Amino acid sequence: MRKIFLYECKRLLWNKFFAGLVLVLLFYGWQVLRRVTILGVSHTAPFPPGASGTF
């Protein structure tokens, strides 16, 4: 059973589609964290721009 599990993990990790999906998700996450969040006072906490109006 362990051999089959390791084989399937290897197949998944070396799949071109999986590698492309990981790259797209990393790029999207970097874009979101870079543009959507703003820094708090003295760089203490990130808040989304729309949340400041609710306080």
Side-chain angles (χ1 to χ4, degrees):
M1 189 69 159
R2 181 178 162 101
K3 265 186 166 178
I4 294 171
F5 178 74
L6 291 176
Y7 172 74
E8 291 296 330
C9 286
K10 182 180 169 184
R11 265 189 63 208
L12 176 68
L13 293 176
W14 292 109
N15 190 349
K16 291 179 187 177
F17 177 76
F18 183 75
L21 185 64
V22 167
L23 288 175
V24 167
L25 288 175
L26 286 174
F27 178 74
Y28 178 73
W30 176 69
Q31 289 290 318
V32 167
L33 289 175
R34 186 166 177 239
R35 295 177 187 218
V36 174
T37 59
I38 57 174
L39 295 175
V41 178
S42 298
H43 305 286
T44 55
F47 293 104
S52 59
T54 60
F55 296 114

